[in-house]
Amino acid sequence: MHLAKFFHRPPSDDDRELMLIPGGDPIVIGVRMNREDDPDSDQYLREEFSDIDDAVTAFRRHAAELVAAGYVETDHTNYTLRDLGPDPQPKPDWQKGLDELTLLVLGSPLAEQAKQIAALRGTPAEHEPLYLLLAADHGKTAGEDFAQTLHYAEQARDALNARRAAGQTHYAWSISERDLEGEILELLSSLYLLASNQAAALAIVEHLCRTAPSHDRIRQRAELLCGFFPERREEAFDDAYQWSRFGGYDVIMLFPEYAEYVARRKAGTSAKGWRWRPATPVSDADISAAEQTLGVRLPDDYRDFLRTRGETELLVRLPESSSELRFYAPGELAAQLRNVLDFIACSEDELEEACAYFRKAYGISLKHLIPIAEPSQLSRCLLLHVEPGERYGWCFQWDHDGAWELEQKQPSFDVALKALTDGIERRDATQLAFFDL
């Protein structure tokens, strides 16, 4: 996380960026912007700290020094910015107040945090997802009214989703939307767990593991499965087997069943080597909404898959290696298509050239080639062709290393899925290569 303030001193263009990077060893960095005489010497300040409180104190002091020298803090937030442009605008006081609350939450006493939370009520800040997150985090840490704390966290989630759906902006200083959403959902999951709503807590963690996986989130999912969902305990054993070398799985590995699981994995006694994660079926309404966005009807076999399994994962479990094939929810398909098209072509002219190539080489429409699943941690995907005509419903495998190439052509989704699962059972090198196994 980078927390950046930008300063402009009129009428000159001697603009400054002051940045705080929290973490194990916090850093405060000062940058001269618009530096043309010597671009390599743009950094005028760099201080490293062993304690976040000292780093925050230094950050505040350097910001105050810039203001005293005639600089005005602007409303910019992108920490990678190197040019403020003409006529930079001052940052509103409520945004400065929300910045200060963010700094307080990094380590100041709870009473100081509470005072700032109260000071921002009645200002535009109190409707921002960041404010609601910090208020909920303070409430949990301080042991305040649980219902209100949970309400703040749910409001933070709902406000962020509403702004996104409406195409409206939100203010979160220099914190990315992805990081902000992750923090909100992690807090909400922990609160649901405190409320003994283990299913809701697990649903959130599983969503994060699909959309923004990290070692901590995978471990949290494993702990929830082991502690509250014994029928799914083997999934937790999967994670411990694969990731225990990074630490944090000791409790899971103490289960007597874990030793049996390890012996079974190492012996390779599983006939299949794959299984499905529990299904999250998709409604017909969600399928129809995705089709309306895409402008086509999805093939019947894929529609049936969505109705029965939906947003799920095919788990590949071999004696010494593991992988997952994550199937997207229907609402993600249009965005995934855009991602692939943007990767294949950097401009409209290049996209038209690519479309002509795919039509000639494969007889398909590139703009109708929908990504429907991806192996974990790999820039690959399973593609479904949905242009009406002779090749409607065909499936291909795609890898970003060969962006203009399609592999493993299959005449339908069902056939493609069976080829993958049969290949895993046979330990077929071609099919296992899709999972980098």
Side-chain angles (χ1 to χ4, degrees), residues 262-339:
V262 171
R264 191 167 67 252
R265 277 287 295 267
K266 289 185 175 180
T269 55
S270 170
K272 296 196 304 183
W274 63 269
R275 69 177 188 275
W276 289 104
R277 197 180 291 283
T280 306
V282 172
S283 69
D284 286 340
D286 287 339
I287 295 173
S288 296
E291 291 175 330
Q292 185 173 2
T293 301
L294 294 166
V296 294
R297 178 181 169 85
L298 298 170
D300 287 341
D301 55 355
Y302 178 58
R303 293 172 112 254
D304 290 342
F305 175 85
L306 291 175
R307 289 192 189 99
T308 55
R309 294 204 174 275
E311 187 179 8
T312 188
E313 290 180 338
L314 176 68
L315 308 178
V316 184
R317 300 294 181 252
L318 303 180
E320 298 300 332
S321 55
S322 304
S323 185
E324 297 83 30
L325 181 62
R326 180 205 164 200
F327 287 82
Y328 302 126
E332 297 180 80
L333 298 180
Q336 294 298 334
L337 171 60
R338 187 71 257 169
N339 290 341

Side-chain angles (χ1 to χ4, degrees), residues 215-216 219 239-250 253:
H215 177 65
D216 285 343
R219 179 181 50 77
D239 293 330
Y241 186 83
Q242 186 173 1
W243 305 112
S244 60
R245 63 186 183 277
F246 297 110
Y249 289 87
D250 294 350
M253 296 167 69

